[in-house]
Amino acid sequence: MEECALDIRHVTKEYKLYERQIDRLKESFHPRKKSYHKKFYALDDISIQVPIGEKIGIIGANGAGKSTLLKIITGVLNPTSGEIIIKGKVAALLELGAGFNMDYTGIENIRLNGTLMGYSDVEMEERMKQIVEFADIGDFIYQPVKSYSSGMFVRLAFATQIFSEPDILIVDEALSVGDIRFQQKCFRAMESIMKDKTVVLVTHDTAAVTRFCRRVVWINKGKVMYDGEVAEGLKRYQEFLIQSAIEEKGAASVLYEEEKEAVEAKEESQKISVPDVLEGIAAKGTKEAEIWKCGLFNKQGRLVEYAEPGEEVTLISYVKFRHKVLHPIYGFTIRDRLGNVVMEMNSEMMHQSLPKGEEDAVYQLKFQIPYLNQGKYTISVAVANGYQEDHIQLCWLDDVWVFKVADREFDLQGFLYINQGEIGITETEG
C-alpha cells in the first residue's frame, strides 16, 4: 500500500444553528439540558487517502464543504470527530491575505512567513530572490500589502508558499484571481517545483483539474459523492449541476408550452442514413427532448471516423420533443482523450434562431474541423431551451461520436497543429 501524505479518517464537522441569540443562553442554563439548536453537518464522515506525490482535485458547488475540509487539514478548524494524519510540511493558499500582516511590506511578509515556517534568516535570504522574481510585482514589493490589488496579493502569496518547499501544497481557488499568464506560470511551477510533492487543488475550473490532476474528489453537502478518475468524475459533477439548474428553475418554465395531446413521432426520409445513438450513452437534462440519432458526415455524405483538419463536416441529430419548446438551442462540444474542451459551438453563438421545437426535428450544423493535433476526439451534443445566458438542458449526450485525427508530420504538443506560415530573416547592423 502506498504511503499517504494525507490520511483523512471519518472526519465530521458539526455546527449548532440557533434561530435567536438568546437560545444559546437558554441552552447553556437549562436544568434539563434542553436543546434549542439544529445540527448542521458541514462535513459528514469524510474519508480520503492521498498518497505521497499525488495531484488531486477537489470539486463541488458552493457550500459543499470543500473549504471547511481544507481549514481542518491546515489546523484552522478542529473536527467534531475523526482524525487527519499528515506526513510532511504543509503550505496552504486558502484565502487572500491569510497569514499576512496588512501593514507590512511584501518583503517583510516574506520574512514573516519564513519565520512561521521555521526557516532561519540565512535560509530565507536564499529564497528571497526566487520569491520576488516569481511574484513579479515590481517596486510594490516594498509597499504595504494593504495597497495591493487582489492579483498582486495572490502573486506574492503563491510565490511565498511554493518556494517554502512544502511536502504538501493546498491551493483553494486563489489562482482564479490572477491573470492567465500568471495562472500558467503557477501550473508550470507546481509541475516542476512540486513534481514529487503532494498537491491538493480546490477549484471550480474543470479545465485546471483535467490538466493538472489525475484524480478528482467530488464533495456535496459534506459527503464524498465520487473519488476516482478525472474524466468520469467531471461528467458526474456536470450532470449534477445540470439537474440542480433544472430543479432550481422548476418544471413550470415560461419557455415551455404543454401540449394537450400526445405527439406521435414521424420519421422523415433522408438522403443519408444517420445512425442511432449507441446504447449505454446516458442522457442528462430534463428528458423533455431526446436525441436518438446522431452522426458526423463529410461533404460526400459519408460518416466521419478520420477527420482532416480544415475539412468541412456536418453534425446531424434527430430530436424528439415531448413538449413544445419556444426557443431551442442546438450545439456540441469537442473534447480530447483527457476530457479537455477543445471547442464548443451552438446555434445561439452563431446568431441563428431555430424554429419552435415540436414533435420531431432534424438539426444539421455545418462547421470546419479545427487544425487539431493528432489523436482521438469525442463529440458531445445537446439540445437546450432558452438563451445562452439562461437556459435549461433538455438532452445532453456525452461522447456520442468519436473521430480520429491522423498522425501529423512532427510530434508536437498542444491542442492545435499549425504548420503554415513564413519565417523571415532580417539583417541587423552590427
Side-chain angles (χ1 to χ4, degrees):
M1 183 177 178
E2 294 181 278
E3 188 176 7
C4 285
L6 188 60
D7 190 358
I8 302 169
R9 300 180 179 179
H10 304 287
V11 168
T12 295
K13 182 61 178 177
E14 175 190 324
Y15 288 100
K16 296 178 180 180
L17 302 182
Y18 296 89
E19 291 186 2
R20 301 172 302 172
Q21 290 297 327
I22 191 63
D23 290 340
R24 294 176 182 272
L25 192 61
K26 287 181 178 180
E27 185 173 280
S28 300
F29 292 98
H30 197 281
R32 297 185 183 85
K33 304 297 181 182
K34 182 179 177 180
S35 175
Y36 285 87
H37 68 268
K38 294 180 181 179
K39 292 182 178 180
F40 171 76
Y41 291 95
L43 297 175
D44 190 359
D45 195 26
I46 293 280
S47 292
I48 303 171
Q49 286 73 46
V50 184
I52 292 175
E54 186 166 62
K55 311 299 187 282
I56 181 174
I58 298 182
I59 59 176
N62 291 331
K66 308 184 300 297
S67 295
T68 301
L69 177 62
L70 297 193
K71 287 177 181 178
I72 291 176
I73 293 173
T74 54
V76 177
L77 295 175
N78 292 319
T80 305
S81 62
E83 63 175 339
I84 295 181
I85 301 173
I86 299 173
K87 185 177 180 63
K89 183 170 58 178
V90 178
L93 208 61
L94 298 183
E95 297 176 358
L96 291 180
F100 276 9
N101 187 315
M102 302 298 288
D103 294 318
Y104 284 11
T105 66
I107 291 290
E108 291 169 336
N109 271 293
I110 293 172
R111 291 198 176 99
L112 173 62
N113 185 79
T115 302
L116 295 174
M117 296 292 289
Y119 291 114
S120 66
D121 290 341
V122 175
E123 290 174 318
M124 276 312 299
E125 287 301 324
E126 294 175 356
R127 291 174 171 80
M128 183 73 73
K129 184 177 180 181
Q130 293 175 309
I131 295 172
V132 172
E133 183 178 344
F134 190 93
D136 191 22
I137 59 175
D139 290 338
F140 276 95
I141 197 73
Y142 302 106
Q143 301 299 317
V145 296
K146 63 184 179 183
S147 65
Y148 288 8
S149 67
S150 58
M152 293 165 61
F153 219 121
V154 76
R155 282 172 175 268
L156 181 61
F158 183 86
T160 302
Q161 295 297 338
I162 200 166
F163 285 105
S164 64
E165 298 182 3
D167 299 299
I168 304 171
L169 178 65
I170 297 174
V171 183
D172 181 13
E173 290 292 359
L175 298 185
S176 61
V177 178
D179 58 68
I180 189 169
R181 291 187 180 88
F182 183 69
Q183 291 175 21
Q184 295 288 353
K185 190 176 181 180
C186 290
F187 281 117
R188 287 195 297 270
M190 288 192 289
E191 288 170 344
S192 58
I193 300 173
M194 301 295 294
K195 183 177 180 179
D196 301 320
K197 307 299 176 86
T198 306
V199 178
V200 179
L201 178 64
V202 176
T203 181
H204 289 97
D205 186 355
T206 55
V209 175
T210 302
R211 169 185 170 177
F212 187 71
C213 306
R214 293 295 172 265
R215 174 184 168 197
V216 66
V217 175
W218 167 30
I219 297 177
N220 185 50
K221 294 183 179 179
K223 290 182 176 291
V224 174
M225 307 300 291
Y226 178 86
D227 183 349
E229 194 266 333
V230 171
E232 178 64 23
L234 294 183
K235 283 183 181 178
R236 296 190 186 188
Y237 180 53
Q238 181 187 53
E239 184 174 1
F240 164 78
L241 292 178
I242 290 173
Q243 190 60 39
S244 297
I246 292 169
E247 293 173 358
E248 181 180 341
K249 293 177 183 296
S253 171
V254 295
L255 296 174
Y256 289 105
E257 286 184 0
E258 289 283 345
E259 294 193 4
K260 296 180 179 179
E261 299 179 358
V263 178
E264 295 182 1
K266 298 178 181 179
E267 293 188 8
E268 299 180 4
S269 59
Q270 298 292 322
K271 294 181 181 179
I272 56 179
S273 178
V274 180
D276 292 344
V277 172
L278 294 175
E279 292 185 11
I281 297 180
K284 305 171 186 175
T286 66
K287 310 298 194 298
E288 301 289 340
E290 176 190 358
I291 301 173
W292 62 289
K293 284 178 177 286
C294 188
L296 187 67
F297 296 85
N298 60 19
K299 294 178 71 173
Q300 290 72 42
R302 291 192 290 269
L303 287 168
V304 174
E305 294 183 4
Y306 285 85
E308 189 65 27
E311 179 182 4
E312 184 178 289
V313 294
T314 303
L315 182 68
I316 302 178
S317 297
Y318 280 46
V319 182
K320 293 179 180 178
F321 290 98
R322 296 190 172 91
H323 297 276
K324 187 179 291 184
V325 175
L326 297 183
H327 200 276
I329 306 172
Y330 174 64
F332 69 91
T333 299
I334 296 180
R335 290 187 175 90
D336 69 3
R337 65 182 182 84
L338 297 177
N340 293 303
V341 175
V342 176
M343 73 168 284
E344 291 183 331
M345 182 180 287
N346 63 48
S347 54
E348 276 286 283
M349 63 176 287
M350 297 168 68
H351 303 291
Q352 295 188 13
S353 296
L354 301 178
K356 292 180 181 180
E358 42 189 335
E359 299 190 6
D360 289 1
V362 179
Y363 292 139
Q364 301 185 30
L365 198 160
K366 293 184 179 181
F367 65 100
Q368 284 189 331
I369 296 291
Y371 285 85
L372 298 173
N373 211 341
Q374 60 193 27
K376 285 187 176 181
Y377 297 86
T378 66
I379 296 181
S380 301
V381 296
V383 175
N385 184 32
Y387 303 90
Q388 185 69 29
E389 300 80 13
D390 183 19
H391 60 264
I392 297 176
Q393 291 292 347
L394 307 181
C395 181
W396 179 304
L397 298 180
D398 276 318
D399 308 332
V400 73
W401 193 258
V402 179
F403 68 91
K404 186 175 182 180
V405 174
D407 292 349
R408 305 287 90 190
E409 183 180 3
F410 299 101
D411 185 14
L412 301 175
Q413 297 186 20
F415 291 146
L416 304 180
Y417 189 98
I418 308 296
N419 60 356
Q420 297 178 351
E422 296 182 359
I423 296 179
I425 301 176
T426 302
E427 295 184 1
T428 59
E429 295 182 3

